[in-house]
Amino acid sequence: MPQLPPSVPLSWYLALSLILFVLGIAGFLFRRNIITVFMSIELMLNAVNLSFITFSYKLKQVDGHIFSFFVMVVAAAEAAVGLAIILTVFKNRQTLEIDELSSLKN
Amino acid sequence: MIFAAIAVVCAINLVVQTHPISSALSLVGVMGALAALYLLLGGEFIAAAQLVVYAGAIMVLFVFVIMLLNAGTEHKGHRTWAKYAGVPLLLVFLGLIASLIANRLPASENVVFGQFTKGSPLEIGRALFTTYLLPFEVTSVLILIAILGAIVLARKEID
């Protein structure tokens, strides 16, 4: 088994944040279930939070933590409202496929 | 590094799985791993808040809605333009930001646990209630509006 390094460079954290963000975009683009699309958005928010915390560590300032906290709060509010919208949509249309929810298009 | 691997594997699982419940549980894994990484970066308060707010509250909300709507596996749809244009654009984005990170941040500086000590609840609270007091109050109003909106959207119509 290869020996893991005891500590990793700071840029690896940013690379992980980038990978998670790209995976979030991929889920947002390629998935059809509206709940999964919503979870991909949450994944992207988490990735941005990680880079906030990393830069806060780099700059030795607490502001990144505050911003990350605000992002969390906004994400909680967004999840509540978004899931309520999903409930209403499902009640009216009986579907969760985003391709069938195209009445706004025409 | 182990937690980073866990996070990436769970995130890939989130995108690949067809059932929403599997995706939700993968997202819980991502958030748990990220909380451990926050702790390594010195953010004790944010790590705790991540576990409580994200992995606890928000994901319970998600799982609750998935159960309530009885969401099944999604159908294979026709291929849209997103599948053709999305993958190259994603790879271009990945390469651009990766080159930016590699150029601007040399890989010399290592993260040492315990070097950054300003992430304690004491420091966070001090900054939150002095410098960031106005955003904090605006956020509370935002949450109030969100609660009202959620109730209005999700209630049953009363005749």
Side-chain angles (χ1 to χ4, degrees), chain B residues 26-40:
Chain B
S26 310
L27 192 52
V28 172
V30 174
M31 286 161 179
L34 280 183
L37 288 177
Y38 294 163
L39 204 56
L40 282 179

Side-chain angles (χ1 to χ4, degrees), chain A residues 21-85:
Chain A
F21 193 82
V22 168
L23 282 171
I25 300 177
F28 183 81
L29 283 180
F30 301 146
R31 298 304 302 269
R32 297 175 186 286
N33 194 316
I34 192 168
I35 296 178
T36 317
V37 168
F38 211 61
M39 282 193 281
S40 304
I41 297 175
E42 297 288 331
L43 182 62
M44 284 193 270
L45 286 171
N46 266 294
V48 174
N49 266 354
L50 179 61
S51 64
F52 266 134
I53 303 282
T54 309
F55 280 120
S56 178
Y57 178 91
K58 164 90 175 157
L59 299 173
K60 297 279 181 288
Q61 281 174 349
V62 79
D63 303 59
H65 292 244
I66 306 284
F67 267 90
S68 163
F69 181 67
F70 281 139
V71 168
M72 252 180 227
V73 170
V74 171
E78 173 232 336
V81 176
L83 288 172
I85 290 175

Side-chain angles (χ1 to χ4, degrees), chain A residues 31-32 46 63 73 88, chain B residues 15 17 50 74 78 132 153:
Chain A
R31 298 304 302 269
R32 297 175 186 286
N46 266 294
D63 303 59
V73 170
T88 314
Chain B
V15 179
Q17 286 286 341
Q50 167 95 359
E74 64 185 66
H78 55 280
Y132 293 97
L153 281 171

